[in-house]
Amino acid sequence: MRLLLNLYRKELKTYFYTLFGWVVLAFVALMQGLSLSTAMKGFADAPVAQSLVYVTYHTPNFWFYFLFIFPLITMRLFAEEERSGTLETLMTAPVKTWQVVVAKYGAALTFYLVLLIPSLLHFILFPILTDIPAPFSKGSFFGGMLVLVLMGCYFTALGLLGSALTSSQIVAGIITVGLLVLHYFLGYVPVIWGDSFQAAGLFRYLSSQQHLSDFTTGLIDTRAIAFYLLSASFVVFLTHHLVDFRRWRN
């Protein structure tokens, strides 16, 4: 356990001890603020039936920046170490493959959770700074935060896998973007083809857009929770076997 924690701390430091990590944090905070201000402008222009949390996470720019968070924070995890040769040195040390994989995944996921803090503070401070009741319920607030954490677990795992597939950070980022965009557009299959075909229910089950809509209205779906946690676990498991195969092959 001590070795795992040491690896985890080492990986986490690379986010906070470099300029890159702070640039990503500043970018995400800016985009989250833009999403909130866009939602508030919509409330000022006309009556809105949905809550502020719902509207904020359904602004046009939300998915644009949200999907690109994960390539940024994961593309270097394995790719950069393999390019520089430090991964081979690490793998010849007395550490187990699963410890390396879990430490990298845990550090990336922790940094992603830190990126959610500005959005969390926006909603907490809103009623305090404006001195008016918050235009959202506790259910939509906690549901919105929960679904972002769940999606982060799965999407970070996809980024981890993408980084383990190549020694190039750029290629790793492209692979991750491709996997995320593919997953995103799977949710639009029922929108394009309708609900008349038998697999429509499956595509709705996979739809992150549908999950985001449900959770930000306060509807907590345990099936979605199971989907994200099981999918993240499977992808991390797959990454472990991929790295382990390359370790013993070399």
Side-chain angles (χ1 to χ4, degrees):
M1 182 59 70
R2 178 180 298 179
L3 182 57
L4 177 61
L5 291 176
N6 289 337
L7 290 171
Y8 167 77
R9 284 194 291 265
K10 171 182 172 294
E11 292 295 330
L12 193 59
K13 287 179 180 178
T14 60
Y15 291 105
F16 294 103
Y17 285 18
T18 61
L19 179 62
F20 175 77
W22 292 102
V23 170
V24 173
L25 179 58
F27 168 74
V28 173
L30 176 64
M31 297 305 295
Q32 289 174 345
L34 180 61
S35 295
L36 180 62
S37 61
T38 302
M40 292 176 63
K41 185 179 184 302
F43 273 74
D45 293 341
V48 179
Q50 292 84 10
S51 70
L52 180 63
V53 175
Y54 181 96
V55 177
T56 299
Y57 294 133
H58 286 78
T59 55
N61 61 300
F62 171 74
W63 284 106
F64 171 77
Y65 82 85
F66 182 72
L67 291 180
F68 282 92
I69 291 175
F70 302 97
L72 290 175
I73 65 178
T74 61
M75 61 185 184
R76 51 154 294 278
L77 289 176
F78 284 104
E80 176 60 20
E81 289 209 41
E82 182 170 349
R83 185 196 65 80
S84 62
T86 56
L87 182 62
E88 183 177 353
T89 303
L90 178 63
M91 287 306 183
T92 55
V95 297
K96 296 181 179 178
T97 305
W98 71 266
Q99 292 174 321
V100 176
V101 173
V102 171
K104 289 180 176 293
Y105 175 71
L109 183 58
T110 300
F111 183 68
Y112 165 74
L113 296 179
V114 171
L115 298 181
L116 295 181
I117 292 177
S119 182
L120 181 67
L121 292 177
H122 288 159
F123 293 117
I124 293 176
L125 294 176
F126 182 89
I128 299 174
L129 298 178
T130 60
D131 200 29
I132 61 176
F136 54 85
S137 65
K138 290 183 179 180
S140 64
F141 173 70
F142 287 109
M145 292 297 106
L146 176 59
V147 74
L148 291 181
V149 171
L150 291 171
M151 287 193 293
C153 291
Y154 179 39
F155 294 170
T156 301
L158 290 177
L160 183 77
L161 176 62
S163 184
L165 288 171
T166 177
S167 60
S168 169
Q169 289 192 58
I170 296 176
V171 175
I174 293 173
I175 292 173
T176 303
V177 169
L179 292 173
L180 293 175
V181 170
L182 175 63
H183 173 79
Y184 176 78
F185 279 104
L186 285 178
Y188 277 110
V189 171
V191 178
I192 299 173
W193 295 98
D195 295 323
S196 57
F197 65 104
Q198 292 183 346
L202 174 62
F203 286 105
R204 289 197 179 278
Y205 177 71
L206 298 176
S207 174
S208 292
Q209 303 93 302
Q210 185 64 49
H211 300 153
L212 186 64
S213 296
D214 291 340
F215 278 72
T216 50
T217 55
L219 179 61
I220 308 300
D221 189 352
T222 55
R223 296 175 302 170
I225 296 175
F227 166 72
Y228 286 113
L229 294 182
L230 291 175
S231 297
S233 300
F234 173 74
V235 175
V236 172
F237 175 78
L238 186 63
T239 304
H240 165 264
H241 279 276
L242 174 63
V243 175
D244 201 43
F245 170 76
R246 293 169 65 179
R247 177 182 188 178
W248 293 113
R249 185 189 62 182
N250 297 330

